[in-house]
Amino acid sequence: MTGPAATDAERRAPGGTTPPAPAGSAPHAVPPPAPWVRTRLRATPLSALLGAALAFVAVLLSAALPRAMDRGTDQALRSFLEARGPAQTSLYVTARPRYGEESAKNLDEVLGTLLSRTAPGFAVAPDGPVHGSSAGARPLGNRGLAAPDGVPPQLGLHHLRTASGHVRLVEGHWPGAPGPTAGSPIPVALSQSAAKTIGIRVGMVLETTTGRDLTTMKAQVVGLYSANDEAEDYWTDYTCLLRACLNMTTTQPPSAFWRTEALVGAEALGRLPEWGEGDNRDFWRIPVATGTLRADQLPSTVKAVASYLGGPTATRLTAETGRSDLRLTSRLPEQFALAEARRQAAAPLAAMGPAGVAGVAFVVFCLAAGLTGDRREAELRLLLARGGSRAGIVRRLLAENAVTVLPAAALAAVLAVVLLPTPRSAATVLAASAATLLALLAVPVRAFVLLSPKRPPGPRRRLVAELLALAATAAAVFEVRSRGVAPAGAGVDPLLIAAPLLLALCGGLLLARLQPALVGALARAAGRGPGLIGFLGLARAARGTGGRARPSVLPLIAMLLAVTTGGFGATVLASVADARSGAARATVGGDAQVSAPNGTLPEALTKAAAALPGVRSSVKVWSDDNVFLYGTKAGSTQISVVVADPVEYARLSAAAGIGRFDPALLAAGAAGTSGAKVPALISRDLAEDDTSGFQLRLDNGGELKLAVVGVVDGTPARPGAKSTTVVLPAPQVLAAVPQMGLPNTWLALGPVDQHRLEEAVRSADPAGAQERYRVQTSSAVVAELGSDPLQRSAERLFWASLAGAAGFALLAVLLTLVRAAPDRAALLARLRTMGLRPRQGILLILVESVPLALSAALGGALLAAGAVALLGPALDLSTLVGTRVPTGLQVLVTPVLTQALGLAALVAGAVLAEAAISGRRQITTELRAGDQR
């Protein structure tokens, strides 16, 4: 043996000495043996480059997927908490004022102590805390102030320590020191909007009515201010400091009154208890910085917040501030629990894609190792025969792989870290290390198996392995079906993730046993025909290449894994989209809605809305919640009445999936005749009553006798309503009750654009469109439901995983073609000498590869549908949908077939490209070299 396979023992004589130089030649030194790794890489540069590229892609995906998941969960947590607003994500601290010792300095000192205990578990939001002191509202006795129902307005007093930085003075001056006596007015500053609403001017002295202590307090308005930004988080709990708030009394019937609050200076802190009459408190609101929270650190953050609110930290704060009545509250623990439950609910679905990619990648590495082992089997056996040991050969192969794999893996890991920055690295290191080890050890392990002593064939071993895989699959599916998905807080459910992969594995093993027999039968049938291309291609597909008895099962398993996980994930996403659309229609009552909660819709508005592009059908609805139905068990019952055109309303109900009915039921009845009954559909809670005497008394004075013709479960005009409902036909009702007037709701079906609908409403009524009318479209609701970063992250991760799985499956097919290339080239060369045309050669390759692609596509589609049918009832998609939906997943044909046929077409294209590019060159080489086999 020469070249790199030569060893020092081969260059020495049997006695261990260097052979003597031939006579007449000058002696010269024996050159040292060439380095193994360098020689091998120079001999097969393309193979080394492809191995490095495969390792690079595998490690890049392995390192990137956990980082993408980490970024998605962090973003979802922060977005979820940010959407809740500072009222839900702040720590609230309150205490009774220190009578006689109240000062601005003490309030600031308490705040400093509270802030000192927030780190390191959580940080304070950049907007900063809000703190001060407040006094409860008291009614004002001044004449001429606005009083909607005769109830005088109320005024509360606040001292905010940092308010001056968030408002600007528009009139007067800031409050200063109060008067020298207890009865002197307290200087206050009022918002300009509240002063205009209630009728207060600068300089006015506001007097309270007599309280429980029979005293009268006065406040003098010395200035008016306006907020720099009313939407600022600073004003979240203090909206009545910016405008007058309309409140309702607790009396029956309730009465409306105005309530507002004014700012006082630090000098008036001692006077606030007099104004509040015991309703006084010092307060500190500490907003938590949600933008810095991390999902992996959420348990420690939860513990830190719990300690702050009612644990050791709270005890220390009480002692350090000297406030024994310090009360700490927050809604953060509830929000943390909701966020963690959402993450845990989405985690199993998000992990299925990466698990499928990992399974397909593992199969691809096994195929690559098998291809390398086949190509180098003769060389490795020669080394073993020349005295090499299996361990030594494996070490050399390991060193050879390390030179190409380790630099590519390091580059891929660094690239993943740079492209997807995240503070967590443990999962990245673990996944990248696993992929690197797989790429590094695949070929050495295959070589060790090849060089091991051959054991006698054992068909029972394969049968036992297949039965074990089948048993594991059945156990996983049974367990998931029995107990459902692991509950929130239990982490990613391994059974739910492993079940689709195990189903794909069992399907691959079953197809591997069935495919040779089925394809062989097709080959025999094709052999009876006149052509030979179909018979030869199918015959080669029915048996293995290179002396194998059957085709390799690995490419089939790779494609089945890709199709099964892709079809299952696509079904999940399609079901999420359908459920989101259904929930949006149920919320809107159709695809579009314009309503006037406190009025009616002009004719011009409904005509303009019905003429918009995309509107397929529309209906005008008269609805009233203040209607009494007489003749029930209780004598009279307050109900909701919906009046609409029966045909259009039935079409709307069917599309929205709420309260379907046959419009012919409402067509009966003599409209407008004296004593005639109007056909009516009633809700199920009225069906048990004696309906013969039902009579409606409308809010506008009209009366109708009803003839109940059916029962409905809900109505689109009142989506989500729990009240008793009656649906009436518009023609009969309008004829019997002319004073019904114009409708107050317009509903439509079709892809209506939200902005166009709003513009149409504004054009029809420019003066009060924003205040009078409510505009909704299902497309806007769908966009709102799907705006959660948790959902978008899961969807992006699935599509990325699907692309990776499809790429690896395609690579598995290409490796199979390359593995069979020498045998196929020899066959085509022989057939070329017998008159085979080039196009027939390409057709032969396609026919040979079609069974693999079709069986994988059809088998994968069936397995994906089976996985959905078996595992779907245990899945809850509410987190991904954005609202509560029924648990379960239905089999959808379109997404499953799309994934299966798409991958089959991709494989067919790859086979055709490989045949066209490399087939002719291989045939030419064989024809020149002659048949050496």
Side-chain angles (χ1 to χ4, degrees):
M1 182 175 180
T2 61
T7 61
D8 291 344
E10 298 175 57
R11 294 188 176 92
R12 294 182 181 273
T17 61
T18 302
S25 62
H28 61 276
V30 177
W36 170 277
V37 174
R38 186 185 68 187
T39 306
R40 286 301 309 171
L41 295 180
R42 284 182 176 180
T44 56
L46 182 59
S47 177
L49 183 61
L50 291 177
L54 180 59
F56 176 84
V57 173
V59 175
L60 180 62
L61 287 176
S62 301
L65 285 176
R67 299 184 73 82
M69 294 178 68
D70 288 342
R71 287 165 58 89
T73 53
D74 284 349
Q75 185 181 5
L77 171 65
R78 295 163 185 171
S79 177
F80 174 78
L81 295 177
E82 183 180 353
R84 293 301 181 268
Q88 302 287 328
T89 58
S90 296
L91 305 173
Y92 289 89
V93 185
T94 58
R96 290 192 301 272
R98 306 178 68 174
Y99 299 106
E101 302 179 5
E102 190 77 352
S103 67
K105 180 181 179 182
N106 181 257
L107 293 176
D108 295 341
E109 290 175 349
V110 173
L111 176 64
T113 303
L114 295 174
L115 294 179
S116 67
R117 294 295 182 180
T118 57
F122 53 92
V124 179
D127 296 339
V130 182
H131 68 296
S133 187
S134 66
R138 297 184 63 167
L140 301 178
N142 300 66
R143 295 181 179 273
L145 300 182
D149 291 337
V151 180
Q154 294 186 5
L155 176 68
L157 301 183
H158 270 69
H159 171 66
L160 295 181
R161 295 291 298 138
T162 56
S164 58
H166 301 270
V167 298
R168 62 182 183 276
L169 193 66
V170 295
E171 187 178 350
H173 61 85
W174 287 111
T181 61
S184 59
I186 300 176
V188 300
L190 199 64
S191 71
Q192 187 181 33
S193 174
K196 182 179 179 180
T197 301
I198 300 177
I200 299 175
R201 302 178 303 277
V202 173
M204 181 180 290
V205 176
L206 304 176
E207 298 181 355
T208 66
T209 56
T210 303
R212 293 192 299 270
D213 54 357
L214 302 179
T215 60
T216 300
M217 291 288 295
K218 297 179 181 180
Q220 184 177 13
V221 180
V222 298
L224 300 179
Y225 62 83
S226 177
N228 297 332
D229 181 10
E230 292 190 3
E232 190 179 7
D233 290 344
Y234 185 87
W235 304 108
T236 296
D237 298 311
Y238 312 104
T239 54
C240 292
L241 280 169
L242 304 179
R243 65 184 70 89
C245 303
L246 188 63
N247 289 11
M248 304 298 293
T249 63
T250 57
T251 59
Q252 291 295 332
S255 302
F257 67 94
W258 291 110
R259 179 179 180 273
T260 189
E261 295 170 349
L263 291 174
V264 302
E267 299 83 0
L269 282 172
R271 300 284 302 277
L272 291 183
E274 303 175 35
W275 184 275
E277 295 184 312
D279 185 12
N280 303 85
R281 62 188 178 94
D282 293 342
F283 60 87
W284 299 264
R285 190 189 77 193
I286 304 174
V288 174
T290 57
T292 60
L293 296 178
R294 288 166 45 181
D296 64 315
Q297 294 181 348
L298 191 58
S300 60
T301 303
V302 170
K303 291 181 181 179
V305 171
S307 177
Y308 196 96
L309 297 177
T313 304
T315 303
R316 286 193 291 268
L317 288 174
T318 301
E320 293 173 3
T321 58
R323 303 272 186 136
S324 58
D325 59 338
L326 203 66
R327 185 168 180 263
L328 301 98
T329 59
S330 179
R331 300 294 298 275
L332 263 177
E334 302 173 17
Q335 301 306 319
F336 286 157
L338 289 175
E340 181 63 14
R342 293 172 70 253
R343 186 187 73 83
Q344 295 289 351
L349 301 177
M352 286 183 180
V357 176
V360 181
F362 179 80
V363 174
V364 168
F365 274 107
C366 292
L367 275 171
L371 174 62
T372 304
D374 290 348
R375 288 292 178 86
R376 300 181 61 177
E377 182 176 4
E379 170 196 343
L380 299 178
R381 291 194 180 280
L382 180 59
L383 285 174
L384 188 64
R386 290 293 184 92
S389 65
R390 282 190 300 170
I393 295 173
V394 168
R395 282 197 300 269
R396 288 184 179 233
L397 293 176
L398 188 61
E400 181 183 330
N401 266 5
V403 173
T404 57
V405 169
L406 293 182
L411 180 61
V414 171
L415 187 61
V417 171
V418 172
L419 293 179
L420 298 171
T422 179
R424 294 181 289 279
S425 300
T428 301
V429 172
L430 183 62
S433 300
T436 303
L437 283 176
L438 181 60
L440 194 63
L441 298 177
V443 174
V445 170
R446 175 61 178 167
F448 185 84
V449 173
L450 281 175
L451 299 179
S452 299
K454 290 187 177 181
R455 292 184 297 178
R460 293 184 179 179
R461 289 197 297 269
R462 178 182 176 183
L463 180 61
V464 169
E466 291 174 349
L467 290 177
L468 288 177
L470 180 62
T473 304
V477 172
F478 176 78
E479 184 66 17
V480 172
R481 288 292 302 268
S482 299
R483 62 165 173 77
V485 183
V492 176
D493 191 343
L495 284 180
L496 182 63
I497 295 174
L501 303 182
L502 290 173
L503 285 172
L505 176 61
C506 287
L509 296 175
L510 179 61
L511 276 178
R513 286 189 172 272
L514 296 178
Q515 182 182 344
L518 295 177
V519 178
L522 291 176
R524 289 190 294 272
R528 301 187 187 100
L532 292 177
I533 300 300
F535 169 73
L536 289 176
L538 292 175
R540 285 178 55 80
R543 62 177 178 82
T545 58
R548 294 178 180 84
R550 59 175 64 89
S552 175
V553 70
L554 292 179
L556 190 60
I557 291 179
M559 293 187 63
L560 285 175
L561 284 172
V563 176
T564 304
T565 55
F568 188 86
T571 302
V572 169
L573 294 186
S575 300
V576 167
D578 292 344
R580 199 176 285 162
S581 178
R585 275 190 165 182
T587 301
V588 175
D591 289 325
Q593 180 192 102
V594 180
S595 60
N598 300 312
T600 59
L601 300 177
E603 187 71 20
L605 191 154
T606 54
K607 286 185 177 180
L612 286 175
V615 177
R616 294 196 303 268
S617 64
S618 63
V619 58
K620 293 180 286 188
V621 178
W622 291 258
S623 61
D624 192 354
D625 295 330
N626 192 26
V627 178
F628 284 89
L629 177 66
Y630 294 90
T632 62
K633 291 180 179 179
S636 64
T637 305
Q638 186 173 359
I639 64 170
S640 297
V641 169
V642 175
V643 180
D645 178 81
V647 176
E648 295 296 335
Y649 195 68
R651 184 181 304 164
L652 179 76
S653 300
I658 306 174
R660 293 183 176 90
F661 67 93
D662 183 2
L665 295 175
L666 297 180
T673 59
S674 177
K677 291 187 177 183
V678 176
L681 300 173
I682 61 175
S683 54
R684 194 166 298 278
D685 55 343
L686 292 174
E688 298 179 358
D689 290 359
D690 182 9
T691 62
S692 59
F694 278 2
Q695 183 174 355
L696 279 181
R697 182 171 298 172
L698 303 176
D699 193 34
N700 55 20
E703 294 187 359
L704 294 171
K705 295 180 180 179
L706 304 184
V708 177
V709 296
V711 177
V712 290
D713 296 320
T715 168
R718 287 287 184 268
K722 302 298 183 182
S723 60
T724 303
T725 307
V726 173
V727 180
L728 303 176
Q732 291 92 322
V733 174
L734 293 178
V737 187
Q739 63 267 35
M740 285 290 292
L742 295 173
N744 56 7
T745 304
W746 176 85
L747 298 170
L749 294 176
V752 184
D753 183 73
Q754 173 91 10
H755 300 294
R756 285 189 175 184
L757 184 58
E758 291 175 349
E759 182 61 30
V761 172
R762 283 193 296 267
S763 301
D765 189 359
Q770 186 173 1
E771 293 80 10
R772 297 178 185 175
Y773 308 119
R774 181 187 178 191
V775 179
Q776 275 188 310
T777 62
S778 60
S779 58
V781 176
V782 166
E784 182 181 356
L785 291 175
S787 62
D788 191 344
L790 186 66
Q791 304 164 2
R792 295 199 302 270
S793 174
E795 292 177 4
R796 287 196 302 265
L797 188 63
F798 163 73
W799 289 117
S801 301
L802 178 61
F808 278 118
L810 182 61
L811 184 58
V813 174
L814 292 177
L815 287 173
T816 304
L817 293 175
V818 172
R819 192 174 187 180
D823 185 62
R824 185 177 64 241
L827 173 65
L828 293 177
R830 299 189 193 102
L831 294 176
R832 283 289 297 274
T833 61
M834 301 177 187
L836 183 74
R837 294 190 298 271
R839 290 185 180 179
Q840 290 178 319
I842 294 177
L843 182 60
L844 176 62
I845 298 174
L846 286 176
V847 173
E848 179 184 345
S849 305
V850 160
L852 173 64
L854 285 182
S855 60
L858 296 179
L862 292 176
L863 288 172
V868 173
L870 291 173
L871 304 176
L875 296 180
D876 185 0
L877 304 180
S878 299
T879 301
L880 295 181
V881 173
T883 186
R884 188 65 188 173
V885 295
T887 301
L889 188 65
Q890 300 296 325
V891 178
L892 302 178
V893 177
T894 302
V896 173
L897 285 183
T898 301
Q899 304 299 319
L901 297 180
L903 187 58
L906 191 63
V907 169
V911 171
L912 184 61
E914 194 273 342
I917 294 174
S918 62
R920 180 171 300 178
R921 186 180 66 250
Q922 291 175 348
I923 294 171
T924 303
T925 302
E926 290 289 335
L927 288 174
R928 288 177 180 175
D931 190 2
Q932 303 295 330
R933 295 162 183 82

